Amino acid sequence: MQIDLSNKVALVTGASRGIGRAIALELAASGARVVVNYRSQQQQADEVVAAIEQAGGTATAVHADVAQPADIERLIKTTQETYGGLDILINNAGITRDNLLLRMKDDEWDAVIATNLRSVYQLTKAVLRPMMKARWGRIITITSVVGLTGNAGQANYAAAKAGLIGFTKSVAREMASRGITANAVAPGYVETAITDVLSDEIKATALANIPVGRLGQPDDISKAVVFLASDAAAYITGQTLAIDGGMTMY
Amino acid sequence: MTLPRLPLEDQVAIVTGASRGIGRAIALALSEAGARVVVNYQHNINGAAEVAGLISGRGGAALTHGADVCVPDEVQQMVDAAMNRWGRIDILVNNAGVTRDAPFARMQEQQWHDVIEIDLTSAFVCVQAVLPVLEQRRYGRIVNVSSLAGLAGNVGQVNYAAAKAGLIALTKNLARELAPRGITVNAVAPGYIETDMIEQVPDRQLQWALNAIPLGRFGSPEEVGSAVRFLTLPEASYITGHTLVVDGGWVMP
């Protein structure tokens, strides 16, 4: 019953904090060796690695800005050189640049598409060969319920996150015969640095629309991700698992 | 040395239609996670006894209980039996179901009625009976076994597809109503799974399905059992009203 990911190597992008951090910790707790990718929060990434090592796991922090193609290449190469493979890719890194469409600047659109969508294309493409060779792979992409419902002020973010869902389904179809599954997880309102900046009023409105009556926590997401990464989820592919306390029920 | 605590230790689960196929696999999966399981059956007492035997053989606890899940009195007796034995219920898996396939133009009213009763109304009956118990402790996990047919339709299964789609709507509605009481309600929608049920499907149709499934194989009951088990874990508390499709990438709704 215990999920066993020993002998697996996992790469989690944007793992220095929030949802990515929780996923890295949970994968490591299940036995995977984990690459903790970060862009700017080196100290926090090191703390994640330290927490994993203290619990008896194996992890290493690797810097890369996933919006930079050269960084991605290096990130994948470093992962393979460090641990000799790459079995589980968690596409988690993401940013927001919220603005009403009328006022949205081109660089706000471009930055969100580059970091949240284009990076996933490039990362996923880069991991296919090692996964095909192993005839086993798990690609799990963190999208958002906003990608299903849209959200005022987040045309860029919603477009990127919806794009990830179509991307996931296509990868699932292309890779199924190779033992590789691709799924997405769509968190609702999870308490992280991304949502900390929102006003209390916005948070109260969100809460009123969440049937379970609480905001999500990073651990709510990480447990589902580890389930999807396990052998028990081998027949699930192309799916988007909403973890939103009943907020959308898509 | 103390063994690690299992995630469903001390919990009690009722699985309807658990004498074979997917229900059997769900009962075994929940038991593996530490739950004590009511193995419900309608006719197949031998199958149910075998499931219970497997569970107790591994050191788990099981109780077989024959009940027609469409009949409120019988379901109430099942709930009472679980309460008398173990004093609590935490998990209800509405799995019992039948097929009565026919092209729509030739479908008999009885075929429609049977499937709606057994596949959809049964869930209403079972939740109504279990709910007062779940509410007492303000905790519960309800999982309804729907079907891909309920999302995508399937030729010759207008009754089954309607019932299974109904289960998804029931899931969402109950999720909303029961969330404030600590009870999550989710559905699992299996695609083609290797059970007795698909043995009734013509070979030609099975071959067609196999070609359409990206993973290139049918699912196993165990794979559905694992998905159901995940949704029953305490740690799945932020997932409610969701339909988890387990279909090898067939439809990707």
Side-chain angles (χ1 to χ4, degrees):
Chain A
M1 157 71 216
Q2 189 66 40
I3 290 173
D4 180 10
L5 299 176
S6 50
N7 304 320
K8 304 290 186 206
V9 176
L11 165 60
V12 185
T13 66
S16 63
R17 54 187 166 176
I19 292 173
R21 175 182 192 273
I23 293 170
L25 292 172
E26 194 68 29
L27 287 169
S30 300
R33 287 165 290 167
V34 181
V35 170
V36 175
N37 160 251
Y38 67 96
R39 184 190 52 180
S40 52
Q41 307 290 333
Q42 180 174 2
Q43 196 188 334
Q44 285 179 290
D46 288 342
E47 280 167 21
V48 175
V49 170
I52 289 172
E53 287 174 344
Q54 200 171 5
T58 305
T60 185
V62 177
H63 170 268
D65 178 351
V66 295
Q68 305 298 331
D71 277 24
I72 288 183
E73 235 169 85
R74 186 173 45 75
L75 175 61
I76 301 289
K77 201 164 157 244
T78 308
T79 303
Q80 290 182 276
E81 284 172 1
T82 307
Y83 294 128
L86 211 179
D87 308 287
I88 300 167
L89 170 65
I90 312 295
N91 290 308
N92 169 72
I95 57 168
T96 52
R97 294 286 182 273
D98 295 356
N99 218 338
L100 293 172
L101 184 58
L102 205 57
R103 293 189 208 131
M104 189 171 283
K105 297 177 183 67
D106 287 354
D107 61 1
E108 291 171 334
W109 172 269
D110 290 341
V112 168
I113 298 296
T115 303
N116 296 11
L117 182 56
R118 191 186 191 287
S119 72
V120 171
Y121 148 74
Q122 208 191 340
L123 279 156
T124 305
K125 194 171 160 184
V127 302
L128 293 182
R129 280 186 202 289
M131 287 182 184
M132 283 162 72
K133 210 171 144 198
R135 298 198 63 80
W136 195 97
R138 294 284 185 271
I139 296 158
I140 300 165
T141 298
I142 310 303
T143 175
S144 164
V145 291
V146 163
L148 298 164
T149 62
N151 196 20
Q154 293 199 308
N156 48 3
Y157 188 75
K161 293 299 192 180
L164 289 177
I165 293 172
F167 177 82
T168 296
K169 291 182 179 184
S170 300
V171 174
R173 288 188 192 279
E174 288 190 26
M175 287 296 134
S177 62
R178 314 298 186 115
I180 301 166
T181 66
N183 290 288
V185 165
Y189 202 123
V190 176
E191 285 190 284
T192 66
I194 282 191
T195 53
D196 277 350
V197 300
L198 300 174
S199 71
D200 287 347
E201 195 191 336
I202 290 179
K203 286 186 192 175
T205 310
L207 204 52
N209 288 309
I210 301 171
V212 305
R214 67 173 174 91
L215 303 181
Q217 297 300 322
D219 279 346
D220 292 320
I221 311 305
S222 62
K223 306 277 187 185
V225 168
V226 170
F227 166 67
L228 290 171
S230 72
D231 278 324
Y235 208 59
I236 302 175
T237 193
Q239 288 306 304
T240 300
L241 175 57
I243 307 175
D244 65 352
M247 188 164 72
T248 53
M249 296 201 194
Y250 258 66
Chain B
M1 193 186 118
T2 52
L3 290 167
R5 221 181 126 74
L6 291 167
L8 299 179
E9 207 162 303
D10 297 332
Q11 296 200 10
V12 173
I14 295 179
V15 182
T16 69
S19 64
R20 59 185 157 188
I22 290 174
R24 170 192 162 107
I26 293 168
L28 294 173
L30 296 179
S31 163
E32 256 181 79
R36 295 170 282 183
V37 183
V38 178
V39 178
N40 162 258
Y41 65 95
Q42 186 178 12
H43 303 299
N44 187 4
I45 186 167
N46 291 336
E50 195 189 313
V51 175
L54 277 171
I55 290 174
S56 48
R58 295 177 189 167
L63 171 68
T64 59
H65 192 99
D68 179 339
V69 286
C70 303
V71 178
D73 286 348
E74 292 190 26
V75 172
Q76 188 59 52
Q77 280 167 23
M78 175 167 69
V79 169
D80 293 345
M83 291 301 286
N84 288 336
R85 174 72 67 93
W86 291 314
R88 63 188 280 181
I89 297 168
D90 305 87
I91 297 164
L92 168 66
V93 181
N94 289 309
N95 166 75
V98 295
T99 53
R100 297 283 185 269
D101 297 357
F104 178 69
R106 290 208 296 272
M107 188 173 284
Q108 310 289 317
E109 203 183 324
Q110 191 64 41
Q111 293 174 309
W112 169 266
H113 179 83
D114 284 354
V115 170
I116 298 295
E117 271 297 288
I118 299 170
D119 295 38
L120 178 58
T121 307
S122 65
F124 167 82
V125 171
C126 290
V127 176
Q128 282 221 321
V130 170
L131 191 54
V133 179
L134 300 182
E135 281 183 322
Q136 276 170 22
R137 291 182 39 252
R138 299 186 66 79
Y139 178 88
R141 295 281 180 270
I142 298 171
V143 181
N144 297 313
V145 179
S146 177
S147 164
L148 207 57
L151 291 160
N154 196 22
V155 170
Q157 293 200 310
V158 76
N159 48 2
Y160 188 72
K164 293 298 191 180
L167 269 183
I168 291 172
L170 176 142
T171 297
K172 292 181 180 183
N173 211 91
L174 278 179
R176 290 185 193 281
E177 290 193 29
L178 304 184
R181 301 167 203 188
I183 301 165
T184 66
V185 189
N186 290 289
V188 167
Y192 269 101
I193 305 297
E194 286 181 3
T195 65
D196 299 351
M197 215 180 246
I198 69 165
E199 280 170 18
Q200 302 160 20
V201 178
D203 280 352
R204 206 171 45 117
Q205 195 181 330
L206 288 182
Q207 195 51 52
W208 170 84
L210 210 48
N211 291 335
I213 297 170
L215 276 176
R217 63 176 176 88
F218 299 129
S220 67
E222 290 71 26
E223 287 172 317
V224 181
S226 304
V228 170
R229 177 174 62 198
F230 168 67
L231 293 169
T232 66
L233 297 179
E235 62 204 40
S237 62
Y238 209 58
I239 304 175
T240 194
H242 189 76
T243 299
L244 179 56
V245 176
V246 185
D247 73 343
W250 187 20
V251 173
M252 300 191 195

